[in-house]
Amino acid sequence: MIAFGPVPSRRLGRSLGVNNIPNKVCTYACVYCQIGRTLRMEIERRAFYDPELVFREVSAKVNEAIERGEEIDYITFVPDGEPTLDANLGKEIDLLRQLGIKLAILTNSSLIWRQDVREDLLKLDFVSLKVDAVSEALWRKIDRPHKSLSLGKILEGMLEFRKEFRGKLVTETMLIDNVEYDDEFERIGDFLRELKPDVVYIAIPTRPPAEPWVRPAREELINRAFQAFSRALGEDRVEYLIGYEGNAFAFTGNVEEDLLSITAVHPMREDAVKEFLRKANADWNIIEKLIRDNKLIELEYEGKKFYIRRLKSRETQ
């Protein structure tokens, strides 16, 4: 499914997602990724879906949401991989403008050094850039980028983009335990001072990560980052992004399809699944069936159960 939701977003309110990249094609293999390990590392932009197909599927979801009285604050490109790998991104944005809903993207920033990528991103209302590290060793340890990518070029690309972008620009820095940050927060703060984002988010993993050793950063580390970023930009522009989004997931009537669409990019906590089933007047047998059919997997993280769609390459294993 290309379109899913709307789902509750910690940054965007009610967000209707656009999954414009098949799983799991990405420029990074982040240790904390909620979708799982990267299956194909790529950095060259190419076409994945027909822009008209993307528009039709998103339009259908918007109409379904309207009929059910569901609000949509943003249509957001938040796929199974890196959204800017899509060579048709600009065309899709132009088509989706017809729907009259604000457009957003969550990108890992890895291709923002390319002028064509920056030109596509300039068309959006809201852009979230990943800034997990500004030093080479830590960037490679946490984000595990494609070997041909240059951190220096990426950081320069962000600054070039900021000069022209007139929408809302935010950054997100994911913090994990068992990593030596040393003076990295001060370094990131210096970069953010130059970038001047509207909001700086400090995040921790809230869903099962790609690597089992990954754990959310402790309160002391989160506070260190908050203080460093606040010194650079002021407390009013630094926010935590460490809470759970809530259970207000939408459904369209096809319970299995909706569950698989959502959990392909947005793992759901057990209580959220139960609330979803209650709204759909369905029972837990659906979950058990999807698990038996090897389409859904159950994971435990930080003492809570999550449900995520199994990647296609593993569905038949």
Side-chain angles (χ1 to χ4, degrees):
M1 291 291 292
I2 292 172
F4 65 96
V7 299
S9 167
R10 291 172 288 174
R11 285 149 290 201
L12 298 164
R14 300 282 298 172
S15 168
L16 192 147
V18 181
N19 190 3
N20 65 320
I21 301 288
N23 59 30
K24 168 80 169 32
V25 184
C26 198
T27 53
Y28 284 177
C30 298
V31 297
Y32 57 77
C33 183
Q34 67 181 31
I35 308 301
R37 292 178 177 173
T38 297
L39 300 178
R40 285 161 53 193
M41 292 277 283
E42 298 184 14
I43 62 164
E44 292 301 324
R45 303 186 84 192
R46 60 186 176 93
F48 292 94
Y49 301 110
D50 184 334
E52 292 288 348
L53 174 63
V54 173
F55 177 69
R56 287 197 302 272
E57 292 215 7
V58 173
S59 297
K61 282 289 185 184
V62 168
N63 290 334
E64 289 170 2
I66 292 172
E67 289 174 5
R68 294 176 182 276
E70 296 272 358
E71 293 185 7
I72 301 175
D73 297 306
Y74 281 91
I75 295 171
T76 309
F77 288 88
V78 53
D80 287 342
E82 168 50 35
T84 60
L85 276 169
D86 183 1
N88 287 327
L89 179 61
K91 295 177 183 177
E92 292 156 6
I93 292 169
D94 292 339
L95 288 170
L96 292 173
R97 275 285 169 217
Q98 302 174 49
L99 299 176
I101 300 171
K102 288 188 288 187
L103 303 177
I105 196 168
L106 309 184
T107 170
N108 66 19
S109 316
S110 58
L111 299 181
I112 201 166
W113 53 273
R114 294 179 54 129
Q115 184 176 347
D116 59 340
V117 169
R118 294 198 299 272
E119 288 173 356
D120 287 349
L121 295 178
L122 286 171
K123 299 180 177 184
L124 295 158
D125 302 291
F126 181 108
V127 173
S128 174
L129 301 177
K130 179 203 293 284
V131 187
D132 287 339
V134 295
S135 61
E136 188 85 14
L138 203 56
W139 174 61
R140 294 197 178 280
K141 179 179 179 62
I142 296 173
D143 292 344
R144 298 191 299 193
H146 189 283
K147 61 183 179 181
S148 66
L149 288 172
S150 161
L151 178 60
K153 287 174 65 176
I154 291 169
L155 296 176
E156 289 173 11
M158 290 189 208
L159 296 175
E160 282 298 311
F161 175 70
R162 187 46 167 154
K163 291 176 184 177
E164 296 185 69
F165 187 56
R166 296 296 175 262
K168 184 170 184 178
L169 182 73
V170 309
T171 62
E172 181 175 333
T173 302
M174 185 72 77
L175 303 183
I176 58 177
D177 205 4
N178 300 318
V179 169
E180 293 297 328
Y181 284 94
D182 297 322
D183 64 347
E184 187 69 12
F185 299 146
E186 285 71 27
R187 291 169 178 259
I188 294 174
D190 290 341
F191 174 73
L192 295 175
R193 184 185 292 112
E194 189 174 0
L195 183 65
K196 299 181 178 63
D198 296 293
V199 182
V200 172
Y201 287 110
I202 297 171
I204 60 172
T206 58
R207 307 185 190 98
E211 300 299 335
W213 61 266
V214 171
R215 289 290 179 270
R218 288 162 291 182
E219 291 86 350
E220 295 85 356
L221 192 68
I222 296 170
N223 185 56
R224 270 182 53 202
F226 182 85
Q227 298 302 330
F229 298 171
S230 294
R231 285 193 295 272
L233 293 163
E235 285 191 14
D236 59 330
R237 288 162 68 184
V238 184
E239 297 182 19
Y240 289 148
L241 196 59
I242 60 178
Y244 181 57
E245 292 92 334
N247 299 340
F249 293 93
F251 64 94
T252 63
N254 187 327
V255 180
E256 287 193 18
E257 180 181 301
D258 287 343
L259 279 168
L260 291 175
S261 295
I262 293 170
T263 56
V265 293
H266 198 291
M268 294 175 71
R269 211 164 72 179
E270 183 177 28
D271 54 347
V273 174
K274 289 179 177 177
E275 176 64 14
F276 185 94
L277 292 174
R278 186 193 65 78
K279 286 174 62 178
N281 196 26
D283 61 35
W284 196 257
N285 289 334
I286 288 177
I287 304 302
E288 294 175 349
K289 176 181 180 297
L290 290 172
I291 292 174
R292 282 197 310 271
D293 292 345
N294 221 21
K295 294 181 179 179
L296 198 69
I297 57 175
E298 180 184 277
L299 300 171
E300 187 166 315
Y301 183 61
E302 297 295 304
K304 293 182 172 60
K305 289 182 179 178
F306 286 80
Y307 296 85
I308 182 171
R309 181 171 183 166
R310 188 179 293 275
L311 295 178
K312 288 184 179 179
S313 64
R314 299 170 192 158
E315 284 182 0
T316 57
Q317 294 179 7

